Amino acid sequence: MTTPHDTTPQYPFTAVVGMDDLRLALLLNAVSPAVGGVLVRGEKGTAKSTAVRALSALMPAVDVVAGCRFACAPAAPDPGCPDGPHGTGAAEERPTRMVELPVGASEDRLVGALDIERALSEGVKAFEPGLLADAHRGILYVDEVNLLHDHLVDLLLDAAAMGASYVEREGVSVRHAARFLLVGTMNPEEGELRPQLLDRFGLTVEVAASREPGLRVEVVRRRLAYDADPAGFAARWADEEEALRRRIAVARELLPDVTLGDAPLRQIAATCAAFEVDGMRADIVMARTATALAAWAGRTRVEEEDVRQAALLALPHRRRRNPFDAPGLDEDKLDRTLEEFGADQDTDGDDDPEPEGPDDGPGGGGPDDGGPDGGGCPPRDGGPEGSAAGPELPHQQEREPPREQPAAPEQDAEAGRAPEPAGQSAPGAGGESAAVGAAEPFRTRRLDVPGLGEGADGRRSRARTAHGRTTGARRPHGALGKLHLAATVQAAAPHQRVRGRSGPGLVVRRDDLREAVREGREGNLVLFVVDASGSMAARKRMSAVKGAVLSLLLDAYQRRDKIGMITFRGTGAELALPPTSSVEAGAARLEQLPTGGRTPLSEGLLRAHEVLRVERMRDASRRPLVVVVTDGRATGGPEPVVRAARAARLLAGAGTASVVVDCEAGPVRLGLAGELARELQGSAITLDELRADSVSALVRTVQGNRKAA
């Protein structure tokens, strides 16, 4: 949706407290849109959206062809513009648009829609522009970009790569220019971005609320003042806003004159190589960012500090290797690389080894200026520490401290365990063992949910989706999706004589239209129920078990699933991770998981049943898959085996698909995990068979194993 025209003034950009990294990254993109946009990562309530929306008021106005819905520039109109060709018509000036893409937007809303009925009957390309057309030569803002549907992400990637949007419908196509500044905000706790989209953002910034009481007081004071009198508050910051607007304009004019010498270029290339970033986009983005930094400081020469700051903004999100790696940059390594490759100076006749100090930039300050315009460079550490909360009244909570490991109430060891020798300390209070590290993750086999679902697009189970192979046709429910041309012609053909057809065209009515029914794959809710009892630690198996669960977590990330985790030991079960899209959170909880005590298997299964009951009410279309990681033992409490069987039948009765990962080891196997799988009406698979590269394992799916059961 396009930002509505509201009489309430926007919160001023210069009134944002702290957050130097974020403000600098946004301003650099205002100076040089070629930098490629900004991804803002941070906890909730840190004014990410407020700062981004305030940027649009600082952007210079653009000249457009009068009446063109696609914002063509009068000096160089798009030759393929659907509203063209443009002659020497009148031009008009308008503010730079800030267009917001909702997470739940449809494909037609993003790229635009063709009137298929008129296209078939009249041969007219009646096109209604979408958000990509609105954002051309402006800003496209995606809040919660990590929750965007995969098919919308694909369309964004295509448009960002080609600078154009294509709408193709059964041989009818429309193309228009779509060059925009992409800005996204996200909370990493809710899930990560696909690597392809992550790389499309030129810069990334981590924001966090300040823990300094004075700064937090100022945040609240300004926000309350704005809420009480928006117009008056904006008027008090009008001079600072205008000064910053002029500084952006001056930096834009200076940008073409900035020189990127051989020495800083070598530093850029060496830095990207040292941090092993993929591809060449990082080098290009760093070069553009360093040039913009020099222009912002009022200089015509890129210096080492510009390269350093560019690396801190452009590289952290590009050096990640898997979803469990924490973003960030080793600044000591960065400094060593810059020092090593910065010794040689440009061969321009300047023998002075000392770099020139930054000149005073327009508006009274270089990149170290921390004045109220918010344009200063962040502190040398480049991290989120010390940055303050923004003007939104933050609903922030202290970061969750490390979870205290609950002491196992059972002092007895698991049945069959040897007591600790005299004089040696127990592994932990109440027989609890300290958390062990996970074994190396591996590629797992795909585990499917049986049947045909209708959940969100993903890569796990079969489902009716907006994308995929066509399996049939149906009358559209609401707006027409993907047209099924053959079925539409077949529906219209018998009525041509009655409708008075006299020419070559086909007389098509709205009732004749048929949309394609497509089958693809959906993402599921994968709920892990992990046995953390003493029997899992008795034979040093927990490291292998954690490696298997970590592998399944990685598989869930790649298949766009939601995940949750329940652990059981001692006398009860704990919801260690409520259902979320953040696989990183699951990996962190798994790493902290201790073992010890008895095996309350029934409690783990009952807790899983309750969690799924609540999740069905929240999202009935997302089908669950329960993965129970256990050796199948049940101890503790009265009739533990009987109670576990009843709990398993309760899950099976609700139609829950399940897989039991059998962790039993040793030459003598009791087969308890297989019995549990039969009660769950699911399948059992060993740790070895879970590996995708296991030669002896058969291709297993939940559906096939349930049939066999």
Side-chain angles (χ1 to χ4, degrees):
M1 56 182 291
T2 308
T3 304
H5 298 287
D6 193 350
T7 56
T8 303
Q10 186 71 259
Y11 193 98
F13 187 87
T14 51
V16 175
V17 179
M19 297 204 302
D20 294 330
D21 284 354
L22 172 57
R23 291 187 296 169
L24 180 64
L26 292 172
L27 289 170
L28 291 177
N29 276 274
V31 171
S32 176
V35 166
V38 186
L39 173 64
V40 188
R41 297 163 46 94
E43 58 193 16
K44 54 187 178 294
T46 48
K48 300 186 296 290
S49 300
T50 297
V52 172
R53 293 189 178 104
L55 176 67
S56 61
L58 301 175
M59 299 289 285
V62 295
D63 292 327
V64 299
V65 175
C68 178
R69 297 174 297 168
F70 302 88
C72 282
D78 179 12
C81 177
D83 285 354
H86 299 300
T88 57
E92 61 183 11
E93 186 180 83
R94 75 174 190 200
T96 296
R97 285 179 176 174
M98 166 79 76
V99 177
E100 295 190 33
L101 172 61
V103 171
S106 66
E107 179 179 340
D108 286 348
R109 186 70 189 96
L110 177 62
V111 301
L114 288 170
D115 190 331
I116 300 298
E117 184 177 355
R118 290 188 63 192
L120 289 177
S121 59
E122 304 175 27
V124 176
K125 294 182 181 179
F127 181 68
E128 182 65 28
L131 297 179
L132 291 179
D134 291 342
H136 179 47
R137 304 177 66 201
I139 303 171
L140 181 62
Y141 171 46
V142 188
D143 194 12
E144 305 294 350
V145 63
N146 51 323
L147 304 182
L148 201 62
H149 287 299
D150 269 7
H151 68 285
L152 297 183
V153 170
D154 293 335
L155 294 170
L156 273 181
L157 288 174
D158 290 342
M162 297 182 293
S165 174
Y166 293 84
V167 183
E168 304 269 354
R169 292 291 174 87
E170 305 298 342
V172 181
S173 65
V174 171
R175 174 211 166 274
H176 64 83
R179 291 181 294 275
F180 46 82
L181 173 61
L182 182 61
V183 181
T185 56
M186 60 174 284
N187 184 348
E189 294 178 353
E190 297 173 344
E192 281 295 342
L193 277 178
R194 286 171 54 184
Q196 296 94 326
L197 183 57
L198 195 63
D199 190 49
R200 289 293 177 186
F201 288 97
L203 310 179
T204 185
V205 176
E206 296 277 341
V207 297
S210 172
R211 300 302 186 250
E212 172 59 41
L215 289 176
R216 297 175 74 95
V217 166
E218 186 61 22
V219 170
V220 177
R221 181 182 290 118
R222 293 187 186 184
R223 184 68 206 194
L224 293 179
Y226 172 76
D227 290 341
D229 183 10
F233 185 84
R236 289 196 294 273
W237 291 89
D239 292 342
E240 286 82 354
E241 291 281 288
E242 182 59 30
L244 188 56
R245 194 176 294 111
R246 287 197 303 268
R247 185 175 175 184
I248 292 173
V250 171
R252 278 194 168 193
E253 292 179 1
L254 183 62
L255 185 66
D257 298 327
V258 176
T259 301
L260 178 64
D262 289 341
L265 194 54
R266 282 195 301 271
Q267 288 179 318
I268 290 171
T271 301
C272 292
F275 285 98
E276 300 180 355
V277 297
D278 296 328
M280 294 298 298
R281 183 174 282 118
D283 303 62
I284 297 171
V285 171
M286 272 191 66
R288 290 171 175 169
T289 304
T291 304
L293 280 163
W296 179 246
R299 289 184 271 103
T300 57
R301 177 188 175 98
V302 173
E303 297 181 352
E304 181 175 313
E305 184 59 28
D306 300 325
V307 177
R308 186 183 194 279
Q309 185 61 58
L312 293 173
L313 293 173
L315 295 189
H317 62 302
R318 291 188 165 89
R319 59 170 296 274
R320 305 185 63 187
R321 286 295 178 265
N322 63 62
F324 307 132
D325 288 343
L329 218 59
D330 184 342
E331 296 190 36
D332 291 336
K333 180 179 179 180
L334 173 61
D335 290 335
R336 290 194 302 270
T337 304
L338 293 176
E339 182 179 357
E340 178 183 355
F341 288 89
D344 297 331
Q345 300 296 314
D346 292 334
T347 56
D348 55 3
D350 184 6
D351 297 327
D352 185 3
E354 295 296 328
E356 297 178 1
D359 297 333
D360 288 340
D368 294 326
D369 181 17
D373 62 1
C377 275
R380 187 171 176 82
D381 63 7
E385 292 82 13
S387 59
E392 288 186 5
L393 184 59
H395 302 287
Q396 295 151 348
Q397 301 174 355
E398 293 292 331
R399 291 188 185 275
E400 185 179 355
R403 304 172 65 88
E404 293 186 5
Q405 310 301 350
E410 324 292 330
Q411 298 297 326
D412 304 352
E414 182 73 8
R417 287 180 61 187
E420 289 291 335
Q424 294 188 12
S425 59
E432 178 182 295
S433 299
V436 298
E440 189 70 21
F442 52 85
R443 189 166 63 92
T444 67
R445 294 187 178 277
R446 188 179 68 208
L447 305 173
D448 297 345
V449 176
L452 193 64
E454 295 184 349
D457 287 350
R459 300 173 186 172
R460 184 171 296 278
S461 305
R462 293 175 55 235
R464 295 187 182 92
T465 61
H467 302 81
R469 62 185 182 90
T470 301
T471 60
R474 67 182 179 188
R475 293 178 183 271
H477 303 293
L480 177 68
K482 189 72 174 178
L483 178 74
H484 195 296
L485 182 59
T488 299
V489 172
Q490 187 176 7
H495 310 291
Q496 296 304 295
R497 182 176 298 177
V498 175
R499 294 173 182 174
R501 172 186 171 186
S502 57
L506 188 67
V507 181
V508 180
R509 303 281 172 81
R510 173 66 58 178
D511 193 53
D512 299 328
L513 299 180
R514 298 292 185 270
E515 66 180 4
V517 176
R518 294 175 173 269
E519 182 179 311
R521 292 198 175 271
E522 65 179 0
N524 299 109
L525 168 58
V526 182
L527 183 61
F528 296 95
V529 183
V530 182
D531 185 349
S533 65
S535 66
M536 301 296 287
R539 298 182 179 90
K540 308 299 183 183
R541 283 178 282 160
M542 202 59 196
S543 178
V545 169
K546 284 189 175 183
V549 177
L550 195 63
S551 304
L552 289 166
L553 285 171
L554 180 58
D555 180 70
Y557 167 79
Q558 294 169 340
R559 299 190 187 282
R560 316 300 292 170
D561 295 318
K562 289 183 68 175
I563 62 163
M565 185 183 299
I566 293 171
T567 62
F568 59 93
R569 65 189 183 92
T571 59
E574 175 190 8
L575 180 59
L577 181 69
T580 176
S581 297
S582 176
V583 179
E584 287 181 324
R589 296 296 171 85
L590 182 68
E591 182 180 359
Q592 300 169 4
L593 180 65
T595 57
R598 295 188 179 274
T599 312
L601 177 57
S602 60
E603 299 301 322
L605 298 177
L606 289 173
R607 190 64 184 271
H609 180 268
E610 177 60 22
V611 169
L612 294 181
R613 184 186 66 82
V614 174
E615 287 301 311
R616 285 191 185 98
M617 291 188 290
R618 292 176 178 171
D619 186 359
S621 64
R622 188 179 287 271
R623 297 186 296 163
L625 172 63
V626 174
V627 179
V628 186
V629 184
T630 182
D631 57 8
R633 296 189 182 189
T635 61
E639 299 183 324
V641 177
V642 174
R643 294 182 70 244
R646 289 175 180 169
R649 288 194 290 270
L650 185 64
L651 275 171
T656 304
S658 60
V659 176
V660 178
V661 179
D662 185 359
C663 302
E664 192 173 25
V668 179
R669 295 175 179 265
L670 302 178
L672 299 176
E675 294 180 10
L676 175 62
R678 284 189 288 273
E679 295 288 358
L680 287 167
Q681 296 183 21
S683 61
I685 185 170
T686 66
L687 287 175
D688 289 337
E689 292 172 333
L690 185 61
R691 293 178 178 271
D693 56 358
S694 175
V695 177
S696 61
L698 298 175
V699 177
R700 293 174 180 262
T701 63
V702 177
Q703 182 176 16
N705 284 280
R706 291 185 72 175
K707 288 180 178 179

